[in-house]
Amino acid sequence: MREISVKALAKINLGLDVIKKREDGYHEVRMVMQTIHLFDRLVITRGPSGRTSSHSYGIRSKGSPEKSAGRAGRITISTNLSFLPVNENNLAYRAARLLMEEFQIADAVDIRLYKHIPVAAGLAGGSTDAAAVLYALNRMFDLGLSKKELMQRGVSLGADVPYCVMRGTALAEGIGEKLTPLPPMVRCPVLIAKPQVNVSTRFVYENLKLGGKMKHPDIDQLIADIREKDLSAIASDMGNVLETVTIPNYPVIAQIREHMLSCGALNAMMSGSGPTVFGLFADEDTAAAAYESMRESGLARQVYLTGIYNTTRA
């Protein structure tokens, strides 16, 4: 296989609770993760030189090709967004290098990344790109790795990468790497809106104050709602403790949430550490009207109307 095109799907958190801060500085979490049908596209090509005519695809290539350590071949990466790194600071690059060094792949690999998932948005955009590269190289070079084996390798790249390999509906525990598959989420329209601010995940966790009167989402009840396929109950029981940090620092998040609710969302909430807000809707017509209203409001820089993605039918 000389070339492969893959989709890298975004995720939302239907529930996000932080249990405690560990001695190593990481936080123990319990999260309900859900894949949505908003995605980046990656086109990966193998060849002896690693040079491809990426400019003919209308995307801008930055920097000079870099070579992996050891016996791995050269990796080049190009993207449609000029501010994205195209070296080892890009998780897609690091994912390619991980497998190429382990399996001593001497062929060059060129990655063309068409980015649509908002960046630094709480949607696992970088992690899902890395997961897509792991999947693609496993197929391209016939490495024979199972999904579980890809997930095990992905955790070294980031806590969300194993989930992005797995996809679907899942309970994430530990630092996010301990995954338990759940029954597929009931399908519904999902409105995504990211304001013109970027949020540091590190800042959010460092300023999270656990204890006291903090309201924690009932993750077990949320899982029960998912099992019952009760969309109204799922929406009602959603919760994200990180909003206690992010919203006071970025009030526009609350404004977006309230706008979605006023437009008929069953509920709306920040995903991950933000600043993206998502809303769940009961029907397509209401969601479509909310999409237009959100675009006209000027509250969000990027607005998408998408839906739930399941690995099996719900």
Side-chain angles (χ1 to χ4, degrees):
M1 184 183 297
R2 173 172 168 72
E3 184 172 283
I4 184 171
S5 175
V6 291
K7 294 178 180 179
L9 277 70
K11 65 84 185 170
I12 54 175
N13 300 94
L14 297 173
L16 196 164
D17 194 16
V18 179
I19 310 303
K20 65 178 182 179
K21 185 174 182 178
R22 308 194 316 189
E23 292 183 1
D24 61 7
Y26 289 97
H27 287 77
E28 291 277 347
V29 298
R30 291 192 83 216
M31 306 183 292
V32 176
M33 314 275 275
Q34 177 60 52
T35 309
I36 57 174
H37 210 267
L38 173 63
F39 56 87
D40 298 335
R41 182 171 292 280
L42 295 92
V43 179
I44 302 174
T45 308
R46 63 187 288 183
S49 69
R51 296 184 183 276
T52 60
S53 54
S54 54
H55 287 289
S56 66
Y57 291 84
I59 60 178
R60 181 173 179 268
S61 186
K62 291 171 56 183
S64 57
E66 300 200 15
K67 189 169 183 178
S68 302
R71 296 180 59 185
R74 183 168 49 191
I75 302 166
T76 56
I77 184 166
S78 52
T79 174
N80 59 323
L81 298 181
S82 61
F83 59 85
L84 288 181
V86 290
N87 52 23
E88 61 186 8
N89 294 318
N90 189 306
L91 278 178
Y93 181 101
R94 288 166 56 191
R97 185 177 63 184
L98 179 81
L99 290 185
M100 291 174 71
E101 290 187 350
E102 178 180 355
F103 291 92
Q104 298 184 0
I105 297 171
D107 289 359
V109 167
D110 176 80
I111 302 169
R112 300 193 298 280
L113 171 57
Y114 299 84
K115 194 76 182 164
H116 303 292
I117 300 171
V119 177
L123 299 172
S127 295
T128 194
D129 291 342
V133 170
L134 294 178
Y135 168 83
L137 264 60
N138 186 45
R139 286 193 59 197
M140 176 174 280
F141 293 101
D142 196 22
L143 302 181
L145 297 173
S146 66
K147 180 181 289 188
K148 182 178 180 180
E149 288 171 327
L150 289 176
M151 291 166 63
Q152 290 169 342
R153 286 159 174 80
V155 74
S156 67
L157 299 169
D160 281 344
V161 177
Y163 168 74
C164 292
V165 172
M166 176 179 157
R167 295 180 174 178
T169 313
L171 171 66
E173 298 176 286
I175 62 171
E177 87 289 4
K178 298 177 182 177
L179 298 170
T180 304
L182 297 174
M185 164 74 176
V186 60
R187 292 181 178 176
C188 67
V190 181
L191 182 60
I192 300 292
K194 179 184 184 280
Q196 196 168 357
V197 296
N198 291 325
V199 175
S200 163
T201 300
R202 181 174 181 176
F203 168 83
V204 173
Y205 276 98
E206 285 181 347
N207 288 275
L208 180 66
K209 293 179 173 57
L210 297 172
K213 296 182 179 180
M214 175 181 284
K215 183 179 179 181
H216 293 264
D218 189 338
I219 299 298
D220 291 328
Q221 182 58 53
L222 182 59
I223 292 172
D225 298 337
I226 291 171
R227 293 186 185 280
E228 292 296 321
K229 302 193 182 304
D230 188 335
L231 181 58
S232 295
I234 291 168
S236 177
D237 290 325
M238 294 191 318
N240 182 348
V241 297
L242 300 183
E243 288 185 335
T244 61
V245 177
T246 312
I247 288 180
N249 285 278
Y250 303 95
V252 68
I253 295 171
Q255 293 177 302
I256 292 174
R257 184 179 65 187
E258 292 305 314
H259 191 86
M260 286 190 185
L261 292 172
S262 72
C263 290
L266 296 173
N267 202 354
M269 189 177 77
M270 185 179 78
S271 182
S273 57
T276 299
V277 177
F278 70 92
L280 302 185
F281 288 80
D283 63 88
E284 295 286 351
D285 290 343
T286 304
Y291 167 77
E292 294 298 336
S293 180
M294 180 59 68
R295 289 187 64 188
E296 294 170 2
S297 72
L299 292 170
R301 182 177 184 179
Q302 294 168 278
V303 183
Y304 299 94
L305 182 57
T306 183
I308 298 295
Y309 173 91
N310 291 314
T311 53
T312 57
R313 294 189 62 85

